[in-house]
Amino acid sequence: MSVEQHRTAAERISEAETARDDLRRALTAVGVTLPSLRLDPVPLAAQVPLPPVELGRCNLEITRRLTTALHRRPE
């Protein structure tokens, strides 16, 4: 991997981490915690990582809180 590709890979990972953290803060602000919210580690090992943010699993209570929070958001 070239220096430029490495920089691009690091930038993509950083961007995904920032998106994950922004989502965590937004969810926390409306009383929702997704304990499994993380980056999927497998794609991070690729030559050019495209790291997906995993929302993970949540129980019924969290699902209902998330649904309520989404319905309250203005369009």
Side-chain angles (χ1 to χ4, degrees):
M1 180 183 296
S2 73
V3 172
E4 185 60 35
Q5 287 174 323
H6 180 70
R7 185 175 303 126
T8 300
E11 289 169 354
R12 287 181 183 197
I13 293 169
S14 178
E15 184 178 353
E17 289 171 333
T18 298
R20 177 208 53 211
D21 294 344
D22 289 347
L23 178 57
R24 180 176 282 130
R25 280 190 293 277
L27 290 169
T28 298
V30 295
V32 176
T33 300
L34 296 178
S36 301
L37 185 61
R38 66 188 184 105
L39 297 186
D40 184 349
V42 174
L44 297 178
Q47 281 287 76
V48 180
L50 298 170
V53 175
E54 260 188 34
L55 301 181
R57 298 169 53 181
C58 58
N59 64 30
L60 182 58
E61 178 186 348
I62 298 301
T63 301
R64 287 187 173 149
R65 277 200 238 162
L66 181 56
T67 302
T68 299
L70 291 170
H71 282 297
R72 276 191 261 159
R73 300 286 302 173
E75 294 189 26

